[in-house]
Amino acid sequence: MSILFKHAVVALDLSEASDLVVSCVPHLKKFGMKKVTLVNVVPIPYSTKRTEVNTEEHREALEGYKKQLEAEDLTVEIDIRSGVHFYPPTEVLESAKERDADFVVIGNRGHSKVQEMLMGSTATEVLHRSDLPVYLINMEVEWYDDDVEKRKLVLGQAHEKSLDHVMHPTDFSENAYRAFEVIKNLDREGLIKKLSLVHVQGHHAIALKDPVSRDELTKQTEQILDEMRDQLSDNTRENAQIYITFGTPAKEIVSAAEDNKATMMIMGSQGKGFVERFFIGGVSNQVTRQSKIPVLLVPAERE
């Protein structure tokens, strides 16, 4: 079954990060997106006194974003979710479920504590809990003379170029192949200019201790990746590269993306079984924390 990307739930905390997230959203029309729901969560702290929470300022800000996106020929709805101790990650995913969205868009945390305070914990929790694909927008902090007051959030890269060079890390699990189906769909639409297929032979593999076994393992891996490349269109196949590396998966994946100037990663968020699911889940989480380019995480198929 094809994975659709027609309706996105976009999580916004109305910080400066939200401006950058909204600026990236129109470029997701390349994936087939036509509708957007802007979600903002307003938790109310418990109090013995009756408390009235005014969300008018939140609505005004979202209305501004709505007009901005409607000018890009998108259908836009607003969902402000407010309640006692509402937990943003849970509410974002509930909104996606209630509105029958196809995927979630959220700003990812970066490497500094400043970014972590913005949307980091929410993004991490959404990744762990989501049954839908999650598109993470990576942001960085620009500092001026180490002055916190002068720091500024910027995009790691211009998102209109995200499909110029797609990197697909794979562990050959069912979930990874599901992510590869997304790539093939984009390829059929002629949207991918260049593709890199990456497999990391983890340092834990017994075969790596034996040069003969390592060579045999590499040949088997090359054959599988070649078979995957053969499933692509003629143009993409000619521009598809294969990388087999050895070491710590997340570190190798991020290094491969930087060294080869990839503009986006599309990968599965889970592995083959319980152990692999925990392991690969950790890898995808580390990749999203370290990557400077957008990452589309595709979850396992819902039962």
Side-chain angles (χ1 to χ4, degrees):
M1 181 181 293
S2 297
I3 300 175
L4 301 177
F5 293 91
K6 293 183 178 181
H7 179 192
V9 155
V10 180
L12 301 175
D13 64 355
L14 304 188
S15 69
E16 61 179 307
S18 294
D19 291 343
L20 296 179
V21 170
V22 171
S23 72
C24 296
V25 169
H27 303 299
L28 295 174
K29 291 193 294 183
K30 297 176 183 178
F31 288 81
M33 185 189 69
K34 297 181 179 179
K35 180 179 179 181
V36 172
T37 297
L38 303 177
V39 181
N40 177 235
V41 182
V42 187
I44 301 173
Y46 177 77
S47 174
T48 54
K49 298 180 181 180
R50 180 167 178 158
T51 304
E52 293 288 335
V53 175
N54 187 349
T55 60
E56 189 57 34
E57 289 186 7
H58 296 259
R59 184 166 295 279
E60 288 180 3
L62 291 174
E63 287 289 348
Y65 289 134
K66 178 180 178 181
K67 290 181 180 179
Q68 182 179 334
L69 293 174
E70 286 178 335
E72 299 287 345
D73 198 28
L74 288 166
T75 300
V76 184
E77 295 181 353
I78 290 174
D79 185 12
I80 299 177
R81 305 175 74 87
S82 180
V84 176
H85 293 315
F86 268 30
Y87 186 48
T90 301
E91 295 304 318
V92 168
L93 295 178
E94 279 296 314
S95 178
K97 181 178 179 181
E98 291 173 5
R99 294 169 180 268
D100 198 26
D102 299 310
F103 68 117
V104 177
V105 178
I106 193 166
N108 189 33
R109 80 182 214 167
H111 308 295
S112 75
K113 292 183 179 179
V114 175
Q115 286 172 294
E116 183 173 343
M117 287 190 294
L118 291 171
M119 297 186 72
S121 60
T122 299
T124 300
E125 285 297 314
V126 167
L127 278 174
H128 283 305
R129 298 171 179 230
S130 182
D131 289 327
L132 296 174
V134 180
Y135 183 88
L136 290 114
I137 296 170
N138 290 290
M139 292 167 276
E140 299 177 332
V141 174
E142 282 188 352
W143 297 89
Y144 299 91
D145 299 323
D146 295 327
D147 188 339
V148 175
E149 296 300 322
K150 294 182 180 180
R151 67 106 175 98
K152 178 184 178 182
L153 276 181
V154 296
L155 291 173
Q157 126 185 329
H159 280 244
E160 62 266 25
K161 299 180 180 179
S162 61
L163 291 171
D164 283 4
H165 181 183
V166 175
M167 179 163 283
H168 174 53
T170 178
D171 65 344
F172 308 132
S173 66
E174 183 177 345
N175 188 200
Y177 283 122
R178 193 163 187 254
F180 187 58
E181 286 298 318
V182 172
I183 290 172
K184 290 197 293 183
N185 288 340
L186 293 171
D187 177 40
R188 280 193 287 269
E189 297 295 325
L191 297 174
I192 296 178
K193 293 184 179 180
K194 183 178 180 181
L195 177 68
S196 292
L197 301 173
V198 181
H199 179 74
V200 182
Q201 310 279 37
H203 55 73
H204 63 289
I206 298 176
L208 300 188
K209 298 178 181 179
D210 177 4
V212 176
S213 297
R214 173 170 171 164
D215 290 343
E216 182 61 31
L217 183 62
T218 300
K219 289 179 182 178
Q220 293 175 2
T221 301
E222 287 177 344
Q223 182 178 351
I224 296 172
L225 292 174
D226 275 331
E227 291 173 354
M228 292 175 63
R229 181 163 56 181
D230 287 341
Q231 298 177 46
L232 302 169
S233 66
D234 291 344
N235 182 63
T236 303
R237 185 169 59 250
E238 291 177 1
N239 289 305
Q241 298 175 321
I242 288 176
Y243 296 99
I244 301 173
T245 64
F246 302 86
T248 305
K251 180 180 179 180
E252 293 298 321
I253 290 168
V254 172
S255 293
E258 292 180 352
D259 293 345
N260 294 282
K261 295 181 173 55
T263 55
M264 180 182 180
M265 278 193 249
I266 299 178
M267 62 188 295
S269 59
Q270 298 171 1
K272 303 171 185 176
F274 177 77
V275 175
E276 289 86 351
R277 175 174 177 175
F278 176 80
F279 177 71
I280 295 300
V283 171
S284 62
N285 189 35
Q286 292 174 52
V287 168
T288 55
R289 287 171 182 264
Q290 298 174 32
S291 175
K292 295 181 180 180
I293 58 178
V295 181
L296 176 62
L297 285 174
V298 179
E301 188 170 5
R302 288 177 283 184
E303 297 180 357

